[in-house]
Amino acid sequence: MANNDVIVRALQRTFEVNDRDQFTNCALVFAYNGTGKTRLSYDFAHYKRGENAPQHTLYYNAYTEDLFTWDNDLENNTNHHLLINQNSALIQGLAGSNFSEPLGKYLQVFTDIDFKFHYDEQNAEIPDYVVFSKKIKKKERVQGEWKDVETEIENIKISRGEERLFVWCFFRCILDQVVGETEAYKNIEYIYIDDPMSSLDDNNVIAFAEQLYSVIRTQFKKELEAYKAGRQDYRRIKFVVSS
C-alpha cells in the first residue's frame, strides 16, 4: 500500500451517489498482514485535511488502543488499572455524557468482567482510569454445609482479548454519539475500523460483527430514507472496514 492517496480517493469514490440510485455507506478492504492497513487508516483520516480543519474521520485501530495503557502496580502487584488518555480529541467528545451504562451492556455481550471508572478532581467529566473486577463462585462451608458463595475479585488484570473488547465497547459508545449527531462529533463524515478481529475468539468475532452491523444498518436506513424522500439536509456517515 505504498501509494495510499490513490486508495483513499478510490474508497471515497465508492460512496458517491450516482444517477442509478446506488446508495452505499460501507466499504470493505481486504489485505494481508504487514501490507499497511493500519497506516492506510491513519492516512485516510488525514487525507487533504488542513492544519486547523475539523476532524472528518474517526478511526478504531492500533492508535485507538494506544490511548489505553496499563498501570500494573509493579511494586505491589495488587492495584492494576487501565489508564485513559484524557487529552485525546476522540475521548474528549464524551465529556459530560453518562456512557457507563451503555458500555456495560455492550461489554456483557462478550464477557462477564465488571468495570468502574475513576475520575480525578481536575477533570470530573472524563475518567482518567478504569479498574476491573470479576465475580466468581467458590465452595465455602456455611453452617456446616458446603455452598457456592459468590466472591468479587477486584483490581484484576484482564486478558489482551478482554482489553480489546473493552476498548471496542468504549468506541462503540462514541459511535452512538456520532450517529446521534451530538455536537462534539458533528463534523465526522467517516468511521474507519481497522482489523477488528485480532485477539478475538470465534464467538466474540460473531458478536462483534453483529454490533458493528447494527450501527451501520441503523445509519444506512436513516440516510436512505432521507435520500429517497428527496431531502438535501441529511447527514451521511460512511464506514470503512479493513481486515
Side-chain angles (χ1 to χ4, degrees):
M1 295 187 176
N3 193 351
N4 282 346
D5 285 357
V6 175
I7 301 174
V8 171
R9 288 196 297 270
L11 283 171
Q12 290 182 347
R13 282 197 297 270
T14 65
F15 299 116
E16 295 176 359
V17 180
N18 61 36
D19 295 336
R20 291 186 293 176
D21 196 23
Q22 292 181 347
F23 194 93
T24 302
N25 80 328
C26 184
L28 301 178
V29 178
F30 296 98
Y32 291 111
N33 289 335
T35 55
K37 295 189 299 296
T38 300
R39 181 65 192 180
L40 175 63
S41 65
Y42 180 86
D43 289 346
F44 187 99
H46 295 83
Y47 179 70
K48 288 189 175 180
R49 181 183 168 192
E51 183 176 349
N52 296 315
Q55 186 176 4
H56 57 68
T57 300
L58 287 184
Y59 51 66
Y60 171 80
N61 56 17
Y63 294 101
T64 311
E65 293 176 351
D66 287 344
L67 298 176
F68 301 80
T69 55
W70 278 100
D71 181 340
N72 289 316
D73 187 21
L74 297 178
E75 183 177 349
N76 301 308
N77 196 31
T78 54
N79 296 316
H80 310 283
H81 53 270
L82 192 63
L83 302 171
I84 301 172
N85 187 336
Q86 296 175 306
N87 296 321
S88 165
L90 174 70
I91 292 174
Q92 286 178 348
L94 288 173
S97 64
N98 183 13
F99 59 94
S100 291
E101 184 176 346
L103 197 158
K105 290 180 180 179
Y106 293 139
L107 192 61
Q108 286 175 359
V109 174
F110 302 105
T111 178
D112 59 354
I113 61 172
D114 295 318
F115 66 92
K116 184 177 181 180
F117 286 120
H118 176 272
Y119 294 81
D120 61 32
E121 295 180 357
Q122 279 128 13
N123 189 350
E125 292 192 321
I126 304 174
D128 61 336
Y129 67 82
V130 57
V131 293
F132 298 96
S133 61
K134 190 170 185 177
K135 294 182 176 67
I136 64 170
K137 289 184 178 180
K138 63 179 182 177
K139 295 286 185 181
E140 289 187 9
R141 199 169 183 82
V142 180
Q143 296 180 347
E145 296 183 7
W146 287 100
K147 295 184 178 181
D148 288 327
V149 178
E150 189 174 74
T151 302
E152 185 174 27
I153 305 176
E154 299 180 337
N155 298 319
I156 63 173
K157 170 80 180 238
I158 60 177
S159 70
R160 176 60 176 161
E162 288 171 327
E163 178 188 342
R164 191 177 181 105
L165 289 169
F166 175 81
V167 175
W168 158 252
C169 292
F170 197 104
F171 185 79
R172 177 69 177 80
C173 292
I174 294 174
L175 291 185
D176 288 342
Q177 301 286 319
V178 176
V179 173
E181 301 185 13
T182 58
E183 182 69 17
Y185 302 101
K186 65 180 181 179
N187 295 311
I188 298 302
E189 300 177 45
Y190 299 95
I191 306 294
Y192 199 120
I193 299 174
D194 172 55
D195 200 14
M197 305 306 181
S198 177
S199 302
L200 302 184
D201 59 35
D202 291 344
N203 290 332
N204 283 334
V205 165
I206 294 171
F208 182 100
E210 287 178 342
Q211 282 197 7
L212 180 57
Y213 173 79
S214 175
V215 177
I216 296 174
R217 185 64 182 173
T218 298
Q219 182 65 25
F220 176 78
K221 183 178 179 181
K222 182 168 61 174
E223 294 173 7
L224 186 58
E225 288 175 351
Y227 172 70
K228 288 184 175 180
R231 287 174 46 200
Q232 302 295 323
D233 59 342
Y234 67 93
R235 177 189 179 196
R236 290 195 66 196
I237 300 175
K238 287 83 74 176
F239 295 82
V240 180
V241 181
S242 59
S243 183

